[in-house]
């Protein structure tokens, strides 16, 4: 009789779960799925919490939905709150378990979590599963990626590289050990479990259902669950919105101007391979065009940022990134005004108010406000990336870091960053001022 712990990280789903499948094949007779909620007090080097209210509420809803699905399969989800380096080894000791399986996340914070578990004596197996393309299928491997995305995309398309088909949902799971409740009764685990239980009802603020929000995650159709993710994908395809995606993707507000897959992709409630499999089926039935191709294009960008992490690792998180520019300076007063939407630049302030109110922001506006912090306020790009991490319901370490490096000119792209003129952006994307009026800056 042996027990394997399966740690859900940014893969809060049952469909297309190679890591969970690996745990089921581990030879264990019992399975204990676990989620670790981050400590409330965890903060960034910039003095604000790593988890803002919107991000925490969205992820909490995803976890609760996952717990319900696991309970229906007879394998309850253990929820703990606290440092993973403390609570997961404590859980293993109480269970008499030595093996833990989880997805691989190639970002420094997440890699440090794994190192701490191994240092505590756990046998940890990580499984790469968040990308569309299998890293082993890359023509160059991950050590020799092209320095620009276009060459990456063209290389994959010339070779005809396609993603694997998604795995089906499991119909059964290994049962928990009979002594699970006794194991969870130890003082340390009981405290961590009680703290997690206090999060059972997501603390939705008014922004979660704000009528101005482009992703009102407090409404059932946009909640964090795998069910909502799959239903959203289905209705998006049924309405044939992929065909218009390229034409509308630079919109600033509204539910349908972009796919809105990103929040569920970020938590892992939706698999990129599931999206692609259903998109290909859509194209077979309704035809492909520039719009549906552009969804593939965007998913490849998402992959590219993941593979850059496999190639460069912590180097991407240095002040100078991959480049030779001097380290950025931090402008505390300008940064505070930027976070609060008080810079005096109407489109920037409108965007930052939307972000803090709703936890969401269009891609066009993300690039514009990032540019303003870096190039106009002479701020530290790392502080901006940390603010996005705290605020966004679709925070993803790979895409967040990759996009900030891109705008700052500290990534692989040779063109030296991107500077967006707010007035030009307003003329092109908010010519009538409706977005600025919506957020009280016109």
């Amino acid at each position: 009789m042996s027990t394997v712990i399966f740690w859900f990280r940014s893969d809060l789903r049952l469909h297309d779960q190679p890591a969970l499948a690996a745990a089921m094949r581990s030879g264990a007779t019992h399975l204990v799925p676990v989620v670790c909620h981050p400590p409330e007090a965890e903060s960034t080097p910039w003095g604000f919490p790593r988890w803002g209210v919107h991000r925490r509420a969205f992820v909490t809803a995803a976890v609760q939905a996952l717990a319900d699905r696991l309970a229906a399969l007879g394998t309850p989800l253990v929820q703990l709150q606290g440092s993973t380096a403390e609570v997961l080894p404590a859980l293993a000791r109480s269970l008499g378990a030595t093996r833990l399986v989880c997805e691989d996340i190639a970002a420094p914070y997440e890699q440090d979590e794994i190192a701490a578990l191994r240092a505590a004596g756990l046998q940890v197996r990580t499984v790469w599963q968040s990308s569309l393309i299998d890293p082993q299928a890359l023509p160059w491997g991950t050590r020799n990626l092209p320095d620009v995305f276009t060459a990456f995309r063209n290389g994959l398309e010339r070779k005809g590289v396609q993603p694997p088909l998604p795995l089906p949902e499991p119909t059964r799971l290994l049962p928990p050990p009979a002594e699970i409740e006794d194991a969870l009764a130890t003082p340390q685990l009981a405290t961590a479990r009680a703290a997690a239980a206090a999060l059972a009802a997501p603390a939705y603020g008014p922004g979660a259902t704000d009528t101005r929000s482009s992703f009102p995650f407090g409404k059932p159709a946009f909640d964090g669950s795998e069910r909502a993710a799959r239903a959203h994908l289905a209705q998006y395809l049924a309405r044939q919105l992929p065909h218009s995606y390229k034409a509308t993707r630079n919109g600033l507000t509204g539910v349908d101007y972009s796919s809105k897959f990103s929040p569920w992709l970020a938590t892992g409630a939706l698999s990129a391979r599931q999206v692609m499999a259903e998109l290909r089926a859509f194209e077979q039935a309704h035809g492909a065009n520039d719009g549906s191709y552009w969804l593939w294009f965007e998913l490849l960008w998402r992959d590219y940022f993941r593979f850059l992490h496999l190639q460069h690792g912590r180097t991407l998180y240095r002040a100078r990134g991959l480049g030779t520019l001097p380290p950025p300076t931090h402008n505390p007063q300008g940064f505070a005004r930027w976070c609060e939407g008080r810079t005096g630049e109407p489109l920037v302030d409108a965007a930052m108010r939307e972000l803090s109110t709703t936890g969401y922001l269009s891609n066009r506006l993300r690039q514009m406000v990032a540019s303003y912090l870096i190039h106009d306020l002479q701020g530290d790009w790392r502080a901006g990336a940390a603010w996005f991490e705290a605020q966004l319901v679709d925070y993803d370490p790979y895409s967040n870091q990759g996009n900030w490096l891109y705008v700052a000119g500290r990534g692989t792209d040779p063109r030296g960053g991107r500077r967006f003129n707010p007035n030009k952006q307003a003329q092109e994307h908010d010519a009538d001022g409706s977005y600025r009026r919506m957020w009280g800056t016109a």
Side-chain angles (χ1 to χ4, degrees), residues 70-386:
L70 288 168
L73 291 173
T75 305
L77 178 67
V78 174
Q79 296 192 51
L80 305 171
Q81 185 178 36
S83 165
T84 56
E86 296 175 2
V87 299
L88 288 178
L91 176 64
R93 287 192 299 270
S94 293
L95 292 168
T98 59
R99 290 181 293 171
L100 181 145
V101 180
C102 63
E103 75 161 331
D104 191 9
I105 303 176
Y109 181 92
E110 291 78 4
Q111 290 288 300
D112 287 346
E113 289 183 308
I114 298 298
L117 296 180
R118 287 174 173 153
L122 281 174
Q123 300 170 28
V124 180
R125 178 182 176 187
T126 60
V127 178
W128 182 265
Q129 63 179 15
S130 70
S131 60
L132 188 63
I133 304 299
D134 188 327
Q136 302 302 315
L138 294 174
W140 328 268
T142 54
R143 292 187 177 274
N144 298 298
L145 284 177
D147 284 342
V148 293
F149 170 73
T150 299
F152 168 79
R153 174 175 58 86
N154 288 341
L156 290 181
E157 291 177 344
R158 279 196 303 270
K159 294 286 187 179
V161 177
Q162 290 293 322
L165 291 175
L167 298 180
E169 295 181 8
T171 57
R172 58 174 292 278
L173 295 173
L174 295 172
E179 65 274 14
I180 181 68
E181 287 301 323
D182 290 339
L184 293 171
T186 63
Q188 182 179 5
L189 294 177
T191 299
R193 198 179 185 192
L199 300 172
Y204 289 140
T209 54
D210 194 304
T211 57
R212 298 171 294 179
S213 176
S214 294
F215 191 84
F217 63 90
K219 296 181 178 180
F222 296 92
D223 71 30
S225 68
E226 181 177 6
R227 174 203 54 77
R230 297 289 297 273
H232 178 80
L233 172 60
Q235 66 83 30
Y236 186 81
L237 299 175
R239 294 163 64 204
Q240 300 191 27
L241 290 178
H243 284 159
S244 58
Y245 172 74
K246 186 178 181 183
T248 64
R249 73 191 192 284
N250 281 321
L252 304 188
T253 189
V255 169
D256 291 336
Y257 69 83
S258 63
S259 72
K260 301 302 188 298
F261 300 156
S262 63
W264 291 296
L265 287 170
T267 63
L270 184 62
S271 154
R273 292 171 183 172
Q274 187 69 40
V275 172
M276 202 64 233
E278 296 191 33
L279 179 62
R280 292 297 190 220
F282 165 85
E283 290 178 324
Q284 286 290 322
H286 303 286
N289 71 352
D290 283 352
S292 61
Y293 171 81
W294 219 255
L295 287 167
W296 156 259
F297 178 96
E298 298 289 5
L299 287 170
L300 285 184
W301 256 118
R302 179 178 178 272
D303 268 17
Y304 186 59
F305 288 143
R306 279 161 162 69
F307 298 146
L308 283 177
H309 275 70
L310 290 175
Q311 182 182 34
H312 295 289
R314 294 175 189 274
T315 308
L316 297 170
Y317 291 75
R318 298 186 305 188
R320 61 186 176 91
L322 300 179
T324 58
L325 293 172
T329 57
H330 183 47
N331 176 354
Q333 292 77 26
F335 179 67
R337 294 197 308 273
W338 179 81
C339 292
E340 296 165 8
R342 296 188 297 104
T343 68
E345 185 62 59
L347 187 59
V348 172
D349 291 347
M352 296 308 291
R353 291 180 189 183
E354 179 186 8
L355 176 61
S356 62
T357 301
T358 72
Y360 192 82
L361 197 61
S362 72
N363 182 63
R364 170 62 51 176
L365 290 174
R366 293 183 201 200
Q367 294 184 74
M368 190 269 294
V369 299
S371 166
Y372 192 82
L373 175 67
I374 294 166
H375 301 297
D376 293 82
L377 295 177
Q378 300 299 303
D380 193 323
W381 66 274
R382 297 171 300 167

Side-chain angles (χ1 to χ4, degrees), residues 408-424:
R410 297 175 184 272
T412 59
D413 190 87
R415 286 179 285 179
R418 297 293 182 275
R419 185 165 191 166
F420 291 78
N421 182 320
N423 291 328
K424 183 173 184 291

